[in-house]
Amino acid sequence: MYSLPKIERFNQHVWLKYKLFNSVFITLPFDEIDNTGVLLPLFAEVCENGFKNTLSPKEIVETFATKYLENPSEQDKLDLMFRFIQYVERQIVLFDAIEDAAFPIVNNMEGRGSIRDMKEKADQRSKNQELVRFLNDFQVRTVLTAHPTQFYPGSVLGIITDLTEAIRVNNLVQIKELLAQLGKTPFIKKEKPTPFDEAVSLIWYLENVFYSTIGDMLQYLHKNIYKNHQMPKSIVNLGFWPGGDRDGNPFVTTEITLKVADRLRTSILKCYYIDIRKLKRKLTFKGVDTLLAEVEHKLYRSVFYSQGEIFITIQAFEETLQEIKKRVIEHHQSLYLDEIDLLLNKLAAFGFHFATLDIRQNSKIHRQVFEEIVQKMDVFPPHYISLSETEKIEILSNLSGNLTEKDVENEMTKSTIGSIHAMKTIQQKNGELGSNRYIISNNESALNVMETLSMFHLCGWNNPTVDIVPLFESVDDLQHADVIMEQLYANSAYKKHLESRNNVQTVMLGFSDGTKDGGYLMANWSIYKAKESLTIMSRKYGIKVLFFDGRGGPPARGGGKTHQFYASLGPSIENNQIQVTVQGQTISSNFGTLDACRYNLENLLSAGATNQLFSKGNNQLSDHDRAVVEQLSELSYEKYLQFKQHPKFIPYLEKMSTLNYYAKTNIGSRPSKRNKSEQLVFEELRAIPFVGSWSQLKQNVPGFFGVGTALQHFEQTNQWNKVVDLYKNSLFFKTLIENSMMALCKSFFPLTAYMRKDEEFGEFWQIIYDEFLETKRLLLKLSGYLELMENYPDGKASIQIREQIVLPLLTIQQYALIKINEIKKGRSEPDLLEVYEKLVTRSLFGNINASRNSA
């Protein structure tokens, strides 16, 4: 099977199957009008030829209507476009299911990046003991977030799962039935999901994918690397944000946080209960069966007959399993010992919490909260607000109290205090790992961290079993992160807190907002340098720093080939853990099936081993290389800032993109911007709608803008060889370039080429297009490729097929935006304005979901 090249395996098992099953799908009538499936391929062909002949989306729609429809009214055309959207959305689901089914065939599950490969490398190089020492001190933590980049309701997720399995075994009857069911199942959420709804959706992945995948991985390590000896508590673990991420989400309340934590606990106990029932069928031996029956009964009561009470402690559960193991070894010839060990490993990884529920809030909110707390509590001097940062930190270092929600009036203050008390409650019920991290987004100073720590003290939690995690996002904050942390390390109160946390400090670094703020190269380089300087500073104070990366799906948000980033980090960056956010379509594409989840988790684990064990020191950037990356970053930053400050930048996004429509999609519970003001303020705009709007335009600006200009400087000043050497020598830089190629590959400027004639935005569009062309030319020259992503032919093929599927959607969306602008300029009647706006919103969904391969 693996003897065929990867692209041939892709073509056989994905592309050919898609053509076959799509031909079945396209003939299915979903309503009383059965010619939609016949007309869609014709419309797709008109779109493709139209863009080749430089027609605008409006001209393409009119050409199609003239050629294939009989004197249609505008309403007739709109009705047909809505039906086209219905079909295209489902074609994307079909393609997703086919790719998922073919995943273990297209990808070598035991090849490079697998834990088997990691073990065999250690065997070959006599590094088995070093591998054990590495694993003893290393963790991979994937943190599931509810950021709105995918919208499938639970009913559709269920169909995708069933369809994937039917395709895997080529059950044609069932495939046709499921495609028919898919055609009749609504895709649209009529109401925004609550944070609890989002949590329930993601817990499905915990129960059905992560639970067994992580268990199997740990079992393999336990048997083959640790040789059945004691393993660390958890080499792979999970974090969770829905219900705890308060930043800019007014719908996350203390009640929701507690409710989500309860649901997580119930879910993991249910998983244990199912496993115990399976064990009970096998361990039917005297002296063992009674112990199992007792555990089963207690778990059953805790899951199905509980109002929050737990009828078995984690210690009692583990002790019983250990006793069962002992009896099986001593009296029953170690029968089914592997199954007992597997459950013990799962218990060690997931405890009674399943995933750690992180709490997150913005430093600006904390500032408002503190203004009220200062007024309400007499432990503050009357002039506190006007003091300097140093003076404030000195006062905050010595505070305590018994503050509760009843002591304050403002709802935001109540909610913030409530979240601290909720963390304590969750720890009592689910264990410390239930909720032991408080993340401060937009962290700009040491004061932000000390305010957070002091809030715990003011709420009566004097030695909080909680990690305070500053999140540095803007380029400026990233550049000063080490100075901020030194202030904290040198502070006696914070030092005492860190000692209670084993002198471990987690620092979060945000790719999404960094890219929005400083452009692609500067954001990535700033994060790399911040990690280096934070490593130096932390080592100086005897602190072990752990980096938590806020990454999205597309390269513009830190995604792309994520494991390659971690494999490329040199010894100057502390790399004891890989902690990364996973969201939206990245969850379903990278972790949505057992095969994909295993493959990607193993790749992350082996990336750490590659960096620290097998290639240690190989990825060290030389002073010369650093100088080149520095100059490239500065040049691209200048170009991006100039672009961002262009007077048409915000108006272009507001009038020519889908930015204002994200809030109407009901994808996620969060608003698309942090403030409530009518006017769009760039700083308050969330990274997801920002990056997503460029993606819908097929311009992908955050993934490449400034890169071409920076490279051009080296070409024009006869220094091109410096960039070539850097590309050859640095895996970090090579990964950056390859991910930028992906952003270019997913761009399609013929879609918006009509804008070059626009009286207001023509010049602005040309600036973007010129940078795209120059970036593409120089990336091809640098890599030596004839075409983008030449070294990932299967990934490129996947992107091309997906782009082909959504081309009708993109055309429809642009057609609607053109008509809306005509109405707003008084050039067309406003009767259908609401319908055109609905058309834009409806076409968003399919385009968003088709981007799953951006991860």
Side-chain angles (χ1 to χ4, degrees):
M1 180 170 57
Y2 294 116
S3 58
L4 287 173
K6 201 171 183 183
I7 184 62
E8 288 190 29
R9 300 200 300 269
F10 177 87
N11 287 335
Q12 275 189 24
H13 296 276
V14 180
W15 176 224
L16 286 175
K17 276 194 175 183
Y18 174 71
K19 286 205 284 190
L20 171 66
F21 295 137
N22 186 50
S23 65
V24 174
F25 170 74
I26 216 79
T27 61
L28 294 172
F30 296 142
D31 48 42
E32 64 279 3
I33 303 164
D34 60 5
N35 67 342
T36 308
V38 175
L39 288 172
L40 178 57
L42 299 173
F43 181 59
E45 187 181 356
V46 170
C47 291
E48 198 172 326
N49 292 330
F51 287 123
K52 281 178 186 172
N53 294 310
T54 66
L55 297 184
S56 72
K58 183 180 176 184
E59 290 169 328
I60 287 170
V61 170
E62 287 169 354
T63 299
F64 171 77
T66 304
K67 193 171 181 180
Y68 294 108
L69 305 178
E70 292 182 20
N71 300 318
S73 67
E74 185 62 18
Q75 188 62 57
D76 290 336
K77 286 190 276 185
L78 288 168
D79 288 344
L80 182 59
M81 283 188 261
F82 277 114
R83 294 204 301 276
F84 281 163
I85 290 170
Q86 180 189 26
Y87 268 81
V88 173
E89 284 175 336
R90 287 152 179 81
Q91 284 178 312
I92 293 158
V93 169
L94 172 60
F95 191 73
D96 284 349
I98 291 168
E99 271 206 317
D100 286 345
F103 192 92
I105 299 169
V106 174
N107 299 280
N108 185 353
M109 300 295 289
E110 308 298 338
R112 192 171 66 179
S114 67
I115 53 177
R116 174 175 286 186
D117 177 60
M118 181 176 74
K119 178 194 176 295
E120 286 172 358
K121 274 184 188 167
D123 289 342
Q124 290 160 9
R125 302 179 194 188
S126 301
K127 290 196 170 189
N128 304 75
Q129 289 307 309
E130 287 179 65
L131 179 58
V132 168
R133 282 196 294 273
F134 159 74
L135 291 170
N136 284 345
D137 198 36
F138 190 80
Q139 276 190 3
V140 168
R141 179 192 289 239
T142 50
V143 180
L144 306 190
T145 78
H147 295 348
T149 54
Q150 189 184 47
F151 80 103
Y152 292 139
S155 54
V156 175
L157 284 173
I159 296 170
I160 293 173
T161 303
D162 293 343
L163 188 57
T164 301
E165 191 50 44
I167 289 167
R168 199 189 299 270
V169 296
N170 292 318
N171 186 333
L172 296 178
V173 173
Q174 192 180 9
I175 290 166
K176 189 170 181 180
E177 284 179 348
L178 287 163
L179 290 174
Q181 181 188 349
L182 192 66
K184 294 284 188 181
T185 303
F187 271 42
I188 303 308
K189 294 175 178 175
K190 291 186 178 175
E191 297 178 358
K192 265 187 177 292
T194 67
F196 184 71
D197 294 334
E198 290 171 330
V200 170
S201 294
L202 291 193
I203 288 170
W204 184 92
Y205 289 102
L206 297 187
E207 291 179 353
N208 293 283
V209 184
F210 283 96
Y211 178 72
S212 58
T213 303
I214 291 175
D216 289 344
M217 282 176 67
L218 294 174
Q219 184 77 340
Y220 180 89
L221 295 172
H222 185 223
K223 284 185 70 175
N224 297 285
I225 293 174
Y226 282 86
K227 309 297 182 188
N228 292 320
H229 291 107
Q230 185 71 34
M231 269 204 319
K233 269 287 183 186
S234 180
I235 295 169
V236 186
N237 57 46
L238 299 165
F240 203 78
W241 275 19
D245 183 5
R246 285 171 152 71
D247 180 18
N249 193 339
F251 307 110
V252 177
T253 62
T254 304
E255 182 187 4
I256 291 260
T257 301
L258 292 168
K259 197 175 168 186
V260 169
D262 282 349
R263 182 61 174 257
L264 284 164
R265 187 184 65 248
T266 302
S267 294
I268 190 58
L269 292 176
K270 185 169 72 176
C271 290
Y272 293 150
Y273 170 72
I274 292 167
D275 273 359
I276 283 289
R277 281 185 62 84
K278 289 176 185 172
L279 262 182
K280 197 178 166 195
R281 288 177 68 89
K282 295 179 177 180
L283 300 179
T284 51
F285 320 134
K286 186 180 179 184
V288 172
D289 53 351
T290 50
L291 289 176
L292 272 172
E294 189 182 339
V295 170
E296 179 197 22
H297 177 65
K298 288 177 178 177
L299 285 171
Y300 183 79
R301 288 186 68 197
S302 301
V303 172
F304 300 106
Y305 283 93
S306 168
Q307 298 297 317
E309 313 95 329
I310 301 297
F311 297 97
I312 184 170
T313 65
I314 191 167
Q315 292 84 0
F317 190 11
E318 184 181 359
E319 285 167 9
T320 306
L321 285 176
Q322 292 288 5
E323 180 59 29
I324 289 169
K325 180 178 175 179
K326 181 173 173 242
R327 292 185 188 186
V328 164
I329 292 169
E330 290 178 356
H331 305 294
H332 305 291
Q333 290 75 49
S334 297
L335 271 170
Y336 301 119
L337 190 59
D338 280 355
E339 282 88 338
I340 302 168
D341 279 335
L342 177 60
L343 186 50
L344 279 164
N345 286 328
K346 287 175 177 175
L347 186 61
F350 304 120
F352 276 12
H353 63 282
F354 215 157
T356 299
L357 183 60
D358 290 343
I359 306 297
R360 183 171 79 130
Q361 186 53 283
N362 198 295
S363 66
K364 291 177 181 176
I365 298 296
H366 284 174
R367 202 168 302 144
Q368 297 168 23
V369 165
F370 248 79
E371 285 176 9
E372 183 177 1
I373 291 176
V374 167
Q375 291 171 358
K376 297 288 182 184
M377 297 189 75
D378 56 12
V379 293
F380 289 91
H383 57 294
Y384 174 83
I385 297 296
S386 61
L387 293 176
S388 68
E389 180 180 326
T390 306
E391 291 169 323
K392 283 179 179 176
I393 288 174
E394 182 60 34
I395 289 166
L396 293 172
S397 301
N398 299 289
L399 294 181
S400 61
N402 286 295
L403 189 64
T404 69
E405 293 161 89
K406 295 176 183 174
D407 300 322
V408 291
E409 294 162 15
N410 182 279
E411 281 305 313
M412 187 56 74
T413 312
K414 284 178 181 289
S415 174
T416 305
I417 292 165
S419 67
I420 289 170
H421 288 293
M423 290 181 83
K424 199 167 191 176
T425 302
I426 293 166
Q427 287 197 11
Q428 288 163 356
K429 289 185 170 185
N430 295 13
E432 185 189 313
L433 290 173
S435 183
N436 68 346
R437 309 203 311 176
Y438 195 113
I439 298 159
I440 313 157
S441 53
N442 192 40
N443 196 96
E444 298 175 326
S445 66
L447 178 62
N448 294 154
V449 177
M450 289 305 297
E451 282 175 341
T452 307
L453 179 60
S454 69
M455 275 197 288
F456 282 86
H457 295 158
L458 290 168
C459 290
W461 202 351
N462 293 323
N463 294 300
T465 46
V466 171
D467 297 321
I468 312 294
V469 181
L471 166 51
F472 299 106
E473 298 176 89
S474 72
V475 170
D476 190 53
D477 292 339
L478 287 164
Q479 289 171 347
H480 294 97
D482 61 326
V483 177
I484 291 169
M485 294 314 298
E486 182 167 33
Q487 277 181 270
L488 293 165
Y489 294 156
N491 177 276
S492 57
Y494 197 75
K495 185 181 176 187
K496 182 185 173 189
H497 170 68
L498 280 180
E499 284 170 355
S500 73
R501 304 301 295 157
N502 299 315
N503 281 323
V504 174
Q505 172 68 54
T506 302
V507 175
M508 189 172 177
L509 304 157
F511 276 79
S512 302
D513 286 284
T515 309
K516 179 169 80 83
D517 182 50
Y520 180 71
L521 278 184
M522 178 55 87
N524 280 283
W525 182 233
S526 295
I527 287 169
Y528 188 94
K529 288 195 297 181
K531 286 185 175 182
E532 286 189 319
S533 58
L534 286 164
T535 298
I536 292 166
M537 190 59 69
S538 300
R539 287 172 180 172
K540 174 182 169 183
Y541 284 87
I543 305 298
K544 180 178 174 181
V545 67
L546 306 176
F547 295 117
F548 176 21
D549 291 315
R551 290 173 172 270
R557 300 190 52 241
K561 303 290 181 184
T562 307
H563 59 277
Q564 284 186 198
F565 267 113
Y566 290 111
S568 74
L569 301 178
S572 59
I573 292 176
E574 201 76 77
N575 195 25
N576 294 98
Q577 284 196 18
I578 290 177
Q579 297 190 28
V580 61
T581 53
V582 190
Q583 55 216 358
Q585 77 267 23
T586 316
I587 296 173
S588 58
S589 63
N590 280 11
F591 302 96
T593 65
L594 294 169
D595 292 322
C597 186
R598 179 192 145 199
Y599 182 84
N600 286 294
L601 282 178
E602 289 192 9
N603 263 272
L604 286 174
L605 187 59
S606 69
T610 298
N611 191 335
Q612 291 198 39
L613 209 60
F614 304 126
S615 303
K616 196 165 187 179
N618 291 5
N619 295 314
Q620 184 76 43
L621 284 171
S622 68
D623 291 343
H624 179 266
D625 287 342
R626 295 179 69 85
V628 176
V629 181
E630 185 71 44
Q631 193 176 357
L632 284 167
S633 299
E634 288 294 341
L635 289 164
S636 71
Y637 186 46
E638 286 169 23
K639 178 72 174 177
Y640 181 75
L641 281 187
Q642 183 187 358
F643 174 65
K644 199 170 75 168
Q645 288 159 4
H646 193 289
K648 295 300 177 188
F649 186 90
I650 294 294
Y652 182 79
L653 283 173
E654 285 191 296
K655 294 180 184 178
M656 307 302 277
S657 85
T658 57
L659 182 68
N660 293 325
Y661 297 88
Y662 266 80
K664 301 175 184 178
T665 56
N666 292 338
I667 295 173
S669 67
R670 302 194 317 171
S672 58
K673 53 183 181 176
R674 286 183 169 94
N675 66 354
K676 294 179 182 176
S677 63
E678 288 298 314
Q679 189 176 359
L680 180 63
V681 180
F682 180 78
E683 288 71 26
E684 296 291 341
L685 180 62
R686 289 195 177 278
I688 287 166
F690 174 74
V691 172
S693 298
W694 290 114
S695 175
Q696 297 279 323
L697 283 167
K698 288 295 150 190
Q699 293 176 356
N700 289 321
V701 158
F704 74 83
F705 200 89
V707 177
T709 295
L711 291 171
Q712 184 191 66
H713 171 82
F714 279 79
E715 183 187 50
Q716 291 178 347
T717 55
N718 296 317
Q719 301 179 78
W720 185 249
N721 61 308
K722 291 182 180 178
V723 185
V724 172
D725 289 344
L726 178 65
Y727 181 76
K728 287 177 180 174
N729 298 335
S730 168
L731 182 58
F732 167 72
F733 184 66
K734 191 170 191 284
T735 303
L736 280 186
I737 293 300
E738 288 183 349
N739 281 343
S740 191
M741 276 190 187
M742 189 187 287
L744 294 174
C745 212
K746 293 170 74 68
S747 298
F748 183 66
F749 277 84
L751 177 72
T752 55
Y754 73 91
M755 293 181 189
R756 60 162 36 116
K757 298 175 186 171
D758 188 272
E759 56 195 28
E760 184 178 359
F761 296 109
E763 180 197 339
F764 188 76
W765 182 91
Q766 195 65 46
I767 291 170
I768 302 167
Y769 186 49
D770 289 345
E771 184 66 15
F772 166 81
L773 290 176
E774 191 64 354
T775 305
K776 181 179 177 180
R777 178 181 77 83
L778 290 167
L779 291 193
L780 289 175
K781 180 179 177 179
L782 178 60
S783 63
Y785 299 156
L786 296 175
E787 56 181 36
L788 297 169
M789 290 184 69
E790 192 178 292
N791 58 333
Y792 291 109
D794 58 309
K796 183 182 177 72
S798 177
I799 288 171
Q800 287 175 333
I801 296 165
R802 287 173 182 279
E803 296 301 316
Q804 191 179 329
I805 293 170
V806 296
L807 191 60
L809 278 191
L810 294 164
T811 310
I812 289 167
Q813 187 180 87
Q814 283 298 317
Y815 173 78
L817 286 168
I818 290 168
K819 298 294 271 187
I820 289 164
N821 280 329
E822 285 179 356
I823 291 169
K824 289 185 176 176
K825 289 174 182 175
R827 296 175 187 166
S828 188
E829 293 301 312
D831 307 6
L832 294 171
L833 177 63
E834 196 175 322
V835 184
Y836 289 127
E837 289 184 332
K838 187 180 177 186
L839 199 61
V840 174
T841 307
R842 284 289 285 106
S843 59
L844 270 169
F845 298 117
N847 294 331
I848 289 168
N849 290 315
S851 294
R852 75 183 315 208
N853 58 12
S854 61

